[in-house]
């Protein structure tokens, strides 16, 4: 019998709000960020970080620009305690960065926490206890008053310990843990009682953090909870409302964004979303979402690859290749129509313009990624991606008619090898298909004169002997094809022609592309030479050679 049964679950009851205002708000500036990588993130690892890994990650967090960093749970873990001591004793905390530590609301743990902080210039002491119905009734077996007592006692003891160390600038933070599962009136009641102990003022605020410890509803419901709380709580102008969302329903970032619209001023999260279960809300995604809207995120992700490398190294966890903004594949287009659209937009783009490129919400170069990574060619790719790659890597600007012809060749190659086609492979394929037809005829020296008509007198090296051919017509290429046509006794007609200078390499060279109809068969070729006319004539000879090689194959 299957255990898959939705009737086992009940829906989260939305809160009744008549005049919610958050849906009309627009985020115009970044919230205050607090990284919890070294605490929440660390707690969730298979192998907790070593002190060395914590040191490396701390340096990265500082470099990215976090001004508040929760560095551990020193009363609960000796490595965390040692790490906090290292930060203080080795003077590792920059002038503009404040460290934060977490503690449960229990006297002995609070005392040990303050011990770890001895000598620090500034610190946030973050005290929490769980307030939800489930936790009250099933975990703590306490009524609401019992939970309030834990919170108030904790707040008092934090205040007491801080008064014993007046040389440090203390900020207090309280979290009603499992806030989202707590009746809203009760959450406000607990917080008000804690604030009555701390007596925060607008010039010395306390932080009230409202965690979605488990994400249990759609983000709009969380936003309602935040707005309702902000409207009801006392000391509103003396507290900084912080949110801390998890990603159980996959909406951790959305919930934090909507919470900011609903009045939250501060957001706790981790780089790339490491954290308990499905993770914490991902600061990279939320900050980059702001960035992509033209808002300064106050964090710097310029070297995204280094960030990804360091996070992976310290957490020993992989990063999904499609992780927003940071994944390996997120600036890569595989589908032909996407590649086509991207190429068109990039070609038209002027660097002073606002960013507006189809399929690319931000400019990958902002994060140290490159355009070359945008296009990868596989059997799903169209002519746009192929043309883009050849132009970027070889300088070949294929005309449309040749893009069509060449893309079918690249596609069958990709299907055959069942993999991504590198630009090197693509260049080899192009040369083999259009540029390697040197038998049976080869163009030697020639002269071009122009009176009423263009006249071409050219030496042609044939399979056995060399001959001189002559042709007269309007245009040198017509004169040449006429001579060639007569001598080989075939009907030769140049149907498409395109040439351009090649910028790759030191000597100026030209490449010519031709499509020639020979006795009813269309053949494409290309050739490179310093002289444009020579490259065009060589391309025509290459098509003639293709024709005779095909005929020979048919006869054989
Ligand atoms: Zn958490």
């Amino acid at each position: 019998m299957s255990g898959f049964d939705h009737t086992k679950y009940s829906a989260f009851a939305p809160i009744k709000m008549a005049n919610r205002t958050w849906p009309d708000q627009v985020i115009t500036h970044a919230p205050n960020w607090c990284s919890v990588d070294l605490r929440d993130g660390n707690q969730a690892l298979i192998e907790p970080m070593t002190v060395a890994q914590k040191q490396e990650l701390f340096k990265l967090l500082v470099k990215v620009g976090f001004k508040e960093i929760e560095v551990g749970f020193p009363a609960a873990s000796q490595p965390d305690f040692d790490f906090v001591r290292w930060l203080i004793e080795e003077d590792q905390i920059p002038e503009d960065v404040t460290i934060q530590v977490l503690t449960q609301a229990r006297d002995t743990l609070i005392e040990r926490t303050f011990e770890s902080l001895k000598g620090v210039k500034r610190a946030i002491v973050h005290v929490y206890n769980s307030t939800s119905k489930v936790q009250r009734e099933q975990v703590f077996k306490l009524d609401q008053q019992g939970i309030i007592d834990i919170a108030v006692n904790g707040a008092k003891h934090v205040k007491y310990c801080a008064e014993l160390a007046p040389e440090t600038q203390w900020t207090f933070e309280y979290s009603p843990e499992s806030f989202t599962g707590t009746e809203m009136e009760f959450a406000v009641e607990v917080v008000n009682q804690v604030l009555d102990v701390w007596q925060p003022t607008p010039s010395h605020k306390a932080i009230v953090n409202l965690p979605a410890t488990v994400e249990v509803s759609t983000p709009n419901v969380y936003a309602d909870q935040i707005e309702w709380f902000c409207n009801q709580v006392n000391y509103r102008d003396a507290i900084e409302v912080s949110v801390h969302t998890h990603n159980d329903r996959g909406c951790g970032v959305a919930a934090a964004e909507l919470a900011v619209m609903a009045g939250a001023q501060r957001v706790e999260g981790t780089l790339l979303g490491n954290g308990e279960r499905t993770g914490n809300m991902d600061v990279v995604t939320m900050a980059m979402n702001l960035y992509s809207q033209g808002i300064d995120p106050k964090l710097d992700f310029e070297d995204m690859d280094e960030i990804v490398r360091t996070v992976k190294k310290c957490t020993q966890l992989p990063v999904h290749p499609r992780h927003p903004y940071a994944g390996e594949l997120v600036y890569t287009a595989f589908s032909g129509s996407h590649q086509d659209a991207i190429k068109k937009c990039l070609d038209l783009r002027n660097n002073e313009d606002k960013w507006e490129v189809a399929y690319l919400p931000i400019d990958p170069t902002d994060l140290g990624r490159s355009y070359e990574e945008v296009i990868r060619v596989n059997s799903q790719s169209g002519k746009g991606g192929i043309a883009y790659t050849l132009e970027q890597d070889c300088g070949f600007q294929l005309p449309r008619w040749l893009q069509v012809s060449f893309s079918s060749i690249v596609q069958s190659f990709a299907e055959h090898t069942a993999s991504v086609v590198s630009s090197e492979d693509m260049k080899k394929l192009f040369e083999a298909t259009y540029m390697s037809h040197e038998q049976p005829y080869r163009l030697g020296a020639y002269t071009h004169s122009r009176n009423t008509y263009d006249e071409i007198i050219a030496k042609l090296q044939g399979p056995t002997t060399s001959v001189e051919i002559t042709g007269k017509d309007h245009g040198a290429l017509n004169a040449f094809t006429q001579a060639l046509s007569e001598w080989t006794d075939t009907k030769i007609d140049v149907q498409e022609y395109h040439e351009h200078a090649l910028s790759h390499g030191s000597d100026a060279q030209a490449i010519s592309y031709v499509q020639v109809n020979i006795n009813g068969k269309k053949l494409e070729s290309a050739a490179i030479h310093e002289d444009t006319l020579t490259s065009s004539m060589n391309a025509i000879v290459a098509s003639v050679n293709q024709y005779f090689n095909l005929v020979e194959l048919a006869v054989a």
Side-chain angles (χ1 to χ4, degrees):
M1 199 183 89
S2 168
F4 191 75
D5 176 12
H6 65 277
T7 63
K8 187 160 138 186
Y9 303 96
S10 41
F12 189 85
I15 68 166
K16 290 200 167 43
M17 259 180 97
N19 300 306
R20 57 175 67 76
T21 64
W22 65 262
D24 292 325
Q25 303 306 309
V26 174
I27 302 176
T28 54
H29 61 273
N32 297 327
W33 303 109
C34 175
S35 151
V36 295
D37 292 77
L38 293 162
R39 199 278 301 166
D40 211 336
N42 185 47
Q43 264 179 273
L45 296 176
I46 304 163
E47 285 274 1
M49 282 180 246
T50 61
V51 170
Q53 284 170 323
K54 282 197 148 198
Q55 290 167 348
E56 186 172 358
L57 192 52
F58 180 79
K59 283 178 184 157
L60 177 74
L61 295 167
V62 168
K63 194 174 161 204
V64 163
F66 284 97
K67 301 303 171 204
E68 293 179 356
I69 302 174
E70 191 166 78
V71 293
F73 204 149
S77 134
Q78 189 61 40
D80 279 15
F81 189 97
D82 295 343
F83 176 65
V84 176
R85 289 317 303 158
W86 174 81
L87 286 170
I88 298 165
E89 284 163 19
E90 301 296 322
D91 202 15
Q92 294 292 318
I93 307 165
E95 204 45 47
D96 59 349
V97 171
T98 305
I99 61 165
Q100 170 173 322
V101 291
L102 183 74
T103 177
Q104 285 178 5
R106 281 165 41 196
D107 288 2
T108 50
L109 298 180
I110 292 168
E111 284 157 24
R112 175 82 173 148
T113 302
F114 274 89
E115 202 183 316
S116 78
L117 290 168
K118 211 165 271 172
V120 74
K121 209 172 156 198
R122 265 188 329 273
I124 301 166
V125 177
H126 180 188
V127 61
Y128 76 95
N129 67 316
S130 215
T131 54
S132 72
K133 195 163 175 286
V134 166
Q135 296 259 2
R136 285 195 317 261
E137 291 172 358
Q138 299 186 41
V139 183
F140 294 93
K141 308 215 181 340
L142 286 170
D143 59 8
Q144 292 193 344
Q145 191 54 51
I147 295 294
I148 291 174
D149 291 345
I150 293 175
V152 168
N153 287 338
K156 282 181 180 162
H157 207 62
V158 163
K159 194 179 177 205
Y160 167 78
C161 291
E163 280 164 359
L164 295 179
E167 66 281 7
T168 296
Q169 292 173 39
W170 300 107
T171 299
F172 304 148
E173 172 170 342
Y174 174 69
S175 287
E177 200 220 12
S178 59
F179 164 77
T180 45
T182 306
E183 304 86 332
M184 286 299 107
E185 292 82 359
F186 181 58
V188 169
E189 173 65 16
V190 178
V191 169
N192 281 341
Q193 297 230 16
V194 166
L195 295 176
D196 284 342
V197 175
W198 286 345
Q199 296 287 318
T201 63
S203 61
H204 188 211
K205 290 183 180 176
I207 299 167
V208 174
N209 186 51
L210 304 174
T213 307
V214 180
E215 182 172 57
V216 290
S217 69
T218 49
N220 62 303
V221 174
Y222 183 61
D224 279 351
Q225 292 175 319
I226 300 298
E227 181 168 332
W228 194 89
F229 181 93
C230 288
N231 289 339
Q232 302 298 319
V233 73
N234 297 335
Y235 305 93
R236 180 64 189 92
D237 60 348
I239 59 172
E240 191 179 2
V241 172
S242 173
V243 291
H244 174 117
T245 60
H246 278 263
N247 201 35
D248 296 85
R249 297 168 52 99
C251 300
V253 168
E257 288 175 330
L258 267 49
V260 168
M261 290 162 65
Q265 297 136 297
R266 180 181 189 266
V267 172
E268 295 188 348
T270 62
L271 292 177
L272 306 171
N274 173 43
E276 293 282 6
R277 306 179 309 282
T278 53
N280 280 78
M281 92 106 216
D282 171 22
V283 178
V284 172
T285 301
M286 182 166 171
M288 287 305 302
N289 284 350
L290 294 173
Y291 181 84
S292 74
Q293 303 296 301
I295 297 165
D296 179 358
K298 307 278 185 188
L299 293 174
D300 184 353
F301 297 116
E302 187 181 25
D303 198 350
M304 187 63 87
D305 288 345
E306 193 211 320
I307 293 166
V308 171
R309 253 194 320 275
T310 306
V311 171
K312 276 160 87 171
K313 187 175 157 201
C314 294
T315 61
Q316 310 275 318
L317 287 173
V319 171
H320 199 283
R322 303 213 183 269
H323 191 105
Y325 302 104
E328 195 192 326
L329 294 180
V330 298
Y331 305 108
T332 306
F334 285 101
S335 111
S337 63
H338 290 210
Q339 292 175 354
D340 249 351
I342 291 171
K343 178 172 159 46
K344 282 177 184 153
C345 295
L346 291 178
D347 283 350
L348 281 176
R349 192 179 144 66
N350 189 328
N351 275 335
E352 285 87 63
D353 296 344
K354 290 275 191 185
W355 182 257
E356 206 174 352
V357 172
Y359 301 112
L360 288 177
I362 61 149
D363 184 348
T365 61
D366 294 355
L367 305 180
R369 307 287 287 270
S370 60
Y371 288 134
E372 279 76 11
E373 291 172 282
V374 172
I375 308 284
R376 289 206 195 177
V377 173
N378 65 10
S379 62
Q380 301 299 303
S381 307
K383 56 190 188 310
I386 293 163
Y388 181 86
T389 306
L390 265 189
E391 182 172 346
Q392 290 297 302
D393 296 349
C394 315
F396 297 173
Q397 298 160 15
L398 301 197
R400 204 181 149 78
W401 51 268
L402 193 54
Q403 290 177 16
V404 174
S405 147
F406 186 49
S407 65
S408 68
I409 287 166
V410 175
Q411 268 172 13
S412 56
F413 178 84
E415 274 160 19
H416 192 70
T417 56
S419 69
V420 167
V421 184
S422 69
S423 65
E424 203 177 311
D425 285 342
M426 219 180 300
K427 190 180 182 205
K428 281 186 192 153
L429 261 183
F430 187 85
E431 287 170 347
T433 310
Y434 303 111
M435 302 176 75
S436 65
H437 308 284
E438 294 177 342
Q439 303 292 337
Y441 300 108
R442 199 188 273 264
L443 179 68
Y446 69 90
T447 59
H448 170 216
S449 57
R450 189 184 290 156
N451 285 315
T452 320
Y453 291 100
D454 286 86
E455 186 181 43
I456 292 279
I457 304 170
K459 275 219 169 71
L460 201 64
Q461 176 69 50
T464 50
T465 53
S466 162
V467 291
E468 191 173 86
I469 58 171
T470 305
K472 249 188 200 181
D473 205 336
H474 290 293
L477 284 187
N478 288 340
F480 180 60
T481 43
Q482 195 232 44
L484 212 48
S485 190
E486 220 164 82
W487 193 71
T488 57
D489 195 24
T490 49
K491 192 172 171 343
I492 303 175
D493 182 21
V494 176
Q495 295 198 315
E496 301 280 4
Y497 170 76
H498 181 71
E499 51 89 7
H500 64 82
L502 277 176
S503 51
H504 286 214
S506 53
D507 299 323
Q509 290 199 307
I511 182 164
S512 299
Y513 314 92
V514 293
Q515 185 188 69
V516 187
N517 188 325
I518 304 173
N519 285 350
K521 186 142 190 62
K522 280 185 192 170
L523 296 154
E524 286 101 6
S525 299
I528 294 175
H529 198 271
E530 292 130 34
D531 177 74
T532 309
L533 180 57
T534 310
S535 71
S536 307
M537 286 164 67
N538 275 328
I540 293 168
V541 173
S543 282
V544 170
N545 284 339
Q546 280 195 61
Y547 176 77
F548 282 108
N549 292 332
L550 283 173
V551 169
E552 197 176 304
L553 266 182
V555 171

